[in-house]
Amino acid sequence: MSLAHLLLRQAHLTSERSAIFHGSEPYASYGQWAARSAGLALRLRQAGLQPGDRVLLFLHNHPRYLELLWACWWAGLVVVPINAKLHPREAEWIVDNAQARWGFVSADLAPDALAGLERQIDVDSAACDALLAPVADAFAVAVTERAPDDLAWLFYTSGTTGRPKGVMITQRNLMTMGLTYFVDVDAVSADDAIVYGAPMSHGAGLYAIPHLMAGARHVVPLSGGVDAAELFALGWQLGPLSTFAAPTIVKRLVDHVEEVQISVDAAAAAFKTIVYGGAPMYVADIERALRLMGPRFVQIYGQGETPMVATALSRQQLLDAAHPRYLERIASVGVAQTPVQLRIADEQGRELPLGEIGEVLVKGDSVMAGYWRNPEATALALRDGWLFTGDVGCLDADGFLTLKDRSKDLIISGGSNIYPREVEELLLTAPGVAEVAVVGAPDPEWGEFVVAFVVAQAGAALSADLLDRHCLAQMARFKRPKRYLFVSELPKNNYGKVLKTALRERLASELA
Ligand code: AMP
């Protein structure tokens, strides 16, 4: 079995049905998609690529993304999709680390040839057209058999610290992820459509799998990115759409709804389901999103090492406002997804009693096979079948997981643990605060003290004094920031995650 069989199956079932859209224009039916992917698979094989060889995908969101992924799987190859915002030097580092043979690249991302590739194909060139030319009979091109533990995708971690690591994601991991979507995230029918706003090299692209399993439509915006007005327009034409979005993108959609006064009904016509995850969603933000866009949110927590599958907070749970622990629940990341077990453990991996805070461990069929050519990192991350996520959190009696922070982001002041997230949640409820990130700074007396970087809403007059009073009114004194830095924006990585490491560096140079 291979992921490529999913495409063959749809081509059998619904060959004529529209599968891929570029903007609002049909781009390929399921039959055409299969014929092009089979054509490329054949040519990759003829060119000497062997099952298990790596192929780099360094392109903007593009309808060809889907054809390339499935062509590679058809030929038994391993895809290495990387973020289009990477610098060519970073891409070359990955080419070298992954020992990728061929690369499909958007020309503007790498104007010069990337060192290390045997062949680099501009995805918008005639050469790429020729490689993807459809075969007359896709069913005549055999799919290379793959075992469940064979690699399908090398996912380079976003690397908020240090060099990215290649996460080895297997066929089994992706099949599990795809099927789990239907149980824990959302029902999907062939009438549904998913839109790729966030990078297809990451979670958004992975969700092509459940949508292909269901024979749904796949929509790639012409802008290739997140333009709220474009996404709503596409939604009203082709939707309602489903999408995966990091919390910063959700915020952008909700801001747009407010700015141009889109009603809840109109939002419902554009979006069926918005799956959010990848970074903390603050309570104030999800409440506002639910208020302005209605019941169309589902949260997932996962990481490259267990792609899209660790916990989920369902649509129903997000709506159950009458529940006595509703606020705790919407601040949580939900309960274990069906194919995994969760455990909270101490540093030695020993299970901690219920309610205690420790490292989050995950076990199940979504968990990676290890890090590519990095046995040391693999041995640290995978122990006795458990994935050590590096996230810190606690479970309640009903199985809801609340994430505190990455262990490295924890602040220890006067021997007490301070979770930046808690301080951030509170500051976000202060009038005039748009965004906030809290980090620790070294303190000779206390070990560390709390510093808040704050972005003010347009026109808001904020002061350290005002925010201090806001904190004092609701939070233990020792947790409150001793210093506020007002900034115009927060540094974020290519996936929209706040780079706390960069903030700590900036702070160090300011304090020096
Ligand atoms: P990545 O491997 O780049 O997808 O990053 C995964 C990390 O993002 C996790 O280990 C968490 O620290 C964080 N993350 C993912 N989903 C959530 C979520 N729903 N809430 C808070 N943090 C999350």
Side-chain angles (χ1 to χ4, degrees):
M1 180 81 187
S2 152
L3 292 158
H5 287 113
L6 302 176
L7 178 56
L8 262 182
R9 177 171 170 272
Q10 285 307 327
H12 265 301
L13 272 170
T14 56
S15 175
E16 302 301 315
R17 205 179 168 95
S18 288
I20 307 176
F21 285 75
H22 198 196
S24 56
E25 292 298 313
Y27 183 86
S29 65
Y30 270 105
Q32 288 166 328
W33 177 0
R36 289 183 203 160
S37 291
L40 176 56
L42 195 68
R43 293 170 197 115
L44 289 165
R45 249 179 227 154
Q46 285 164 351
L49 274 85
Q50 302 290 326
D53 282 349
R54 274 79 54 211
V55 173
L56 183 84
L57 303 180
F58 185 28
L59 57 150
H60 301 289
N61 282 2
H62 193 299
R64 284 208 162 148
Y65 221 111
L66 299 165
E67 296 172 340
L68 295 172
L69 287 170
W70 266 271
C72 289
W73 291 330
W74 205 298
L77 302 168
V78 179
V79 292
V80 188
I82 63 171
N83 194 295
K85 289 185 185 145
L86 292 185
H87 189 278
R89 296 291 88 74
E90 295 170 310
E92 282 175 345
W93 187 90
I94 291 174
V95 166
D96 180 58
N97 188 266
Q99 297 163 316
R101 290 187 63 185
W102 281 30
F104 289 87
V105 176
S106 296
D108 61 315
L109 300 181
D112 303 317
L114 293 172
L117 288 177
E118 275 168 42
R119 183 158 176 208
Q120 176 167 329
I121 300 108
D122 170 356
V123 286
D124 293 304
S125 66
C128 194
D129 293 344
L131 284 167
L132 276 165
V135 288
D137 181 8
F139 304 106
V141 180
V143 169
T144 302
E145 272 301 318
R146 297 276 77 193
D149 291 327
D150 283 336
L151 289 193
W153 182 307
L154 258 191
F155 171 83
Y156 277 81
T157 56
S158 49
T160 45
T161 50
R163 284 289 196 187
K165 294 191 283 278
V167 176
M168 298 195 285
I169 299 175
T170 64
Q171 295 274 339
R172 187 204 309 275
N173 294 156
L174 293 184
M175 288 285 186
T176 301
M177 184 276 307
L179 293 171
T180 301
Y181 189 94
F182 306 113
V183 191
D184 293 305
V185 181
D186 203 13
V188 188
S189 83
D191 293 327
D192 283 336
I194 180 165
V195 66
Y196 303 101
M200 295 173 81
S201 55
H202 203 260
L206 289 171
Y207 276 171
I209 294 171
H211 287 83
L212 168 60
M213 285 173 164
R217 289 162 297 147
H218 305 252
V219 182
V220 181
L222 288 177
S223 70
V226 182
D227 171 332
E230 181 187 24
L231 292 179
F232 272 96
L234 282 173
W236 290 318
Q237 275 175 287
L238 301 172
L241 303 169
S242 295
T243 197
F244 173 75
T248 48
I249 298 181
V250 172
K251 202 158 190 254
R252 249 195 271 168
L253 296 177
V254 179
D255 286 346
H256 180 75
V257 165
E258 199 170 52
E259 268 159 40
V260 305
Q261 301 193 349
I262 295 171
S263 69
V264 173
D265 286 345
F271 287 102
K272 176 190 174 214
T273 303
I274 298 175
V275 185
Y276 66 90
M281 170 66 97
Y282 300 105
V283 171
D285 288 338
I286 187 62
E287 285 185 322
R288 174 170 171 255
L290 286 165
R291 195 173 63 246
L292 292 174
M293 291 187 71
R296 51 207 76 274
F297 295 92
V298 180
Q299 180 180 201
I300 63 104
Y301 155 59
Q303 57 176 200
E305 291 81 348
T306 176
M308 308 307 260
V309 181
T311 66
L313 184 67
S314 70
R315 196 188 298 260
Q316 292 73 18
Q317 287 157 350
L318 277 162
L319 295 180
D320 188 11
H323 194 281
R325 288 190 300 286
Y326 177 67
L327 281 182
E328 286 161 52
R329 287 190 165 183
I330 62 171
S332 81
V333 291
V335 300
Q337 290 191 43
T338 305
V340 296
Q341 284 170 270
L342 289 184
R343 174 182 277 185
I344 301 295
D346 66 13
E347 274 140 37
Q348 280 73 46
R350 283 180 302 232
E351 188 164 8
L352 288 170
L354 197 67
E356 284 196 20
I357 296 171
E359 185 166 355
V360 179
L361 274 46
V362 181
K363 188 183 213 170
D365 276 353
S366 58
V367 171
M368 66 165 180
Y371 294 111
W372 176 251
R373 294 169 63 206
N374 196 340
E376 299 80 21
T378 302
L380 282 177
L382 293 179
R383 291 179 247 159
D384 296 331
W386 288 95
L387 167 70
F388 285 62
T389 62
D391 291 316
V392 172
C394 63
L395 282 169
D396 74 9
D398 301 331
F400 285 75
L401 175 69
T402 300
L403 289 183
K404 295 299 177 180
D405 270 287
R406 305 281 307 166
S407 34
K408 64 180 171 46
D409 291 334
L410 182 74
I411 302 171
I412 304 181
S413 187
S416 301
N417 288 356
I418 300 170
Y419 296 99
R421 165 112 191 231
E422 190 188 340
V423 186
E424 289 160 0
E425 294 266 11
L426 179 59
L427 284 171
L428 276 172
T429 63
V433 173
E435 281 191 289
V436 59
V438 163
V439 296
D443 183 89
E445 192 181 348
W446 298 101
E448 279 183 297
F449 69 96
V450 179
V451 179
F453 286 83
V454 179
V455 181
Q457 280 166 9
L462 285 178
S463 71
D465 193 43
L466 264 173
L467 294 177
D468 195 46
R469 270 184 278 141
H470 182 79
C471 288
L472 277 174
Q474 297 170 75
M475 194 174 63
R477 290 185 80 83
F478 76 93
K479 294 182 188 169
R480 72 192 213 278
K482 300 279 182 319
R483 184 153 175 196
Y484 288 93
L485 291 165
F486 295 94
V487 292
S488 56
E489 59 178 353
L490 296 174
K492 294 189 182 134
N493 76 5
N494 293 328
Y495 297 106
K497 288 186 214 244
V498 174
L499 287 166
K500 294 223 163 159
T501 314
L503 288 176
R504 281 189 284 263
E505 281 163 9
R506 177 156 167 198
L507 192 60
S509 66
E510 288 213 13
L511 295 174

